[in-house]
Amino acid sequence: MAGPNIEEINIVKHFRNEICDVEGSKEFTDIYCLSWLRARDLDIEKAVDMFRKNLEWRKDQDIDNVLDWEPPSHFLSDYDYEIVGEDDEGRPIMIAPFGEWDIRKAVSAGEAKAFIRYTDQLFAKIFEKTKENSKKRGKEVSQFVVIYDMANFSMRQLTSIATVNTILSVAGRFEANYPETLYSGYAVNAYRVFQILFSMLKPLLSPRTIGKIQIFTKPEKWQPVLLQNLPPTQLPKEFGGTRGGRRISIGHIPHRDRSFTERLSTTYITVEVGAGKKFELEFTVTQPQTRIT
């Protein structure tokens, strides 16, 4: 995030005076203070209110210890993500195959609260990385980049009110407690179902946050943008980069069967089915009660 201009320097001083009673406030950087102010359009009273509510939230949710929390073991595979690298300014780049996250599964299993805490931990890990990069680069890194691969995102997620509320809760928590930490966000392979979800999310997000999010459908639309704004060496090959490592998602085949993905990654086809037409697929089902979504 850009540092304060001349006008903002004075406003930051007033903000500091308003929160001087908070333990450790003298160690807050100008960039940190400015994040709360910019999130509230430099309105000191509103920024202080937002900041103090955050302190209460962190205490109530035990956020300071969230990195020590152990999520349900299946979360690590069901809701995988990876911090793949950093941009030219040291901002961490996170990729998550959100389209494949079956959040409804967690909600139906009574694990909605655990899922929300899992996302709290996700953000905590990102900010640990910003701190690490700040030390490494000798300058403050306060923001991150996120790429959400929405391939395979199903309307099934949106037909559950409890699931939608869980997703909205995650978005609301982020917006209320991590102001100005998002540098840029990319939703790729985002088709009609995602557009429905995003219309639900918009009321929870500030215009500043919405302005940082770009939405794309086909790879030929989003790959050039990613490569223009992010170092190719920091992006996996599936996203147009040159970085090796584990596959996050290829946007066509579920990531949970890696061997299947590797076997078919060069042979899958795209089929356009016209209105009123049918295209039949044959599957061999080896386990009873298997659900295909």
Side-chain angles (χ1 to χ4, degrees):
M1 186 172 74
N5 56 37
I6 295 177
E7 176 190 2
E8 290 172 333
I9 289 175
N10 187 50
I11 295 176
V12 166
K13 290 180 180 178
H14 286 289
F15 179 81
R16 286 184 178 280
N17 290 335
E18 293 295 325
I19 64 169
C20 64
D21 60 305
V22 176
E23 182 179 355
S25 61
K26 292 182 179 180
E27 299 176 4
F28 295 162
T29 66
D30 285 349
I31 292 292
Y32 177 76
C33 294
L34 191 57
S35 66
W36 301 96
L37 288 161
R38 285 181 177 169
R40 290 297 180 263
D41 298 320
L42 303 183
D43 185 310
I44 297 175
E45 183 177 350
K46 290 181 179 179
V48 170
D49 180 64
M50 184 184 190
F51 171 76
R52 292 192 181 278
K53 285 180 178 177
N54 170 260
L55 294 181
E56 294 176 5
W57 174 78
R58 293 186 66 88
K59 182 178 179 180
D60 290 344
Q61 301 298 314
D62 194 28
I63 297 300
D64 288 344
N65 296 310
V66 72
L67 289 174
D68 298 325
W69 175 71
E70 290 290 337
S73 59
H74 65 89
F75 275 28
L76 302 180
S77 57
D78 287 350
Y79 313 112
D80 59 334
Y81 61 89
E82 186 175 4
I83 299 175
V84 298
E86 58 195 56
D87 70 5
D88 291 334
E89 297 300 319
R91 305 179 191 95
I93 302 170
M94 186 195 78
I95 298 179
F98 190 91
E100 295 176 1
W101 287 9
D102 189 354
I103 302 172
R104 184 167 180 169
K105 174 184 175 181
V107 173
S108 299
E111 296 177 323
K113 290 184 178 179
F115 177 80
I116 291 172
R117 187 154 182 82
Y118 181 73
T119 60
D120 289 337
Q121 187 181 74
L122 180 159
F123 291 123
K125 289 181 178 180
I126 291 175
F127 299 129
E128 281 295 300
K129 189 64 176 178
T130 61
K131 293 177 183 177
E132 177 184 317
N133 289 357
S134 295
K135 292 180 180 179
K136 180 173 67 176
R137 288 177 172 259
K139 65 175 185 178
E140 186 170 1
V141 177
S142 61
Q143 296 179 303
F144 68 97
V145 176
V146 63
I147 302 171
Y148 283 119
D149 185 353
M150 299 305 301
N152 305 320
F153 187 62
S154 168
M155 180 62 78
R156 175 176 171 272
Q157 303 298 321
L158 302 185
T159 55
S160 163
I161 294 177
T163 300
V164 171
N165 286 339
T166 298
I167 297 173
L168 296 182
S169 178
V170 170
R173 287 162 83 92
F174 176 78
E175 183 68 27
N177 296 289
Y178 301 108
E180 294 300 301
T181 56
L182 177 66
Y183 178 73
S184 59
Y186 304 91
V188 302
N189 302 315
Y191 294 92
R192 186 173 181 180
V193 179
F194 173 77
Q195 300 291 347
I196 296 172
L197 173 62
F198 194 61
S199 68
M200 300 178 187
L201 293 172
K202 274 186 174 181
L204 300 176
L205 306 176
S206 70
R208 293 179 68 92
T209 299
I210 293 174
K212 299 175 182 179
I213 300 172
Q214 298 185 62
I215 302 171
F216 301 94
T217 52
K218 301 178 181 179
E220 54 263 36
K221 299 288 186 180
W222 53 260
Q223 278 194 2
V225 176
L226 293 186
L227 294 176
Q228 179 180 356
N229 294 297
L230 302 171
T233 57
Q234 304 296 295
L235 292 173
K237 294 178 181 178
E238 293 78 12
F239 292 86
T242 59
R243 181 182 179 277
R246 86 178 172 93
R247 304 173 75 90
I248 299 292
S249 168
I250 63 171
H252 297 277
I253 301 171
H255 70 288
R256 294 179 184 83
D257 188 346
R258 302 295 179 181
S259 61
F260 185 71
T261 298
E262 293 293 340
R263 189 166 64 253
L264 297 184
S265 62
T266 59
T267 61
Y268 68 83
I269 62 173
T270 299
V271 177
E272 292 187 7
V273 182
K277 304 296 182 179
K278 295 181 179 179
F279 180 77
E280 294 185 359
L281 295 173
E282 182 176 336
F283 294 90
T284 299
V285 179
T286 59
Q287 295 182 353
Q289 306 302 316
T290 297
R291 175 181 293 176
I292 299 175
T293 58

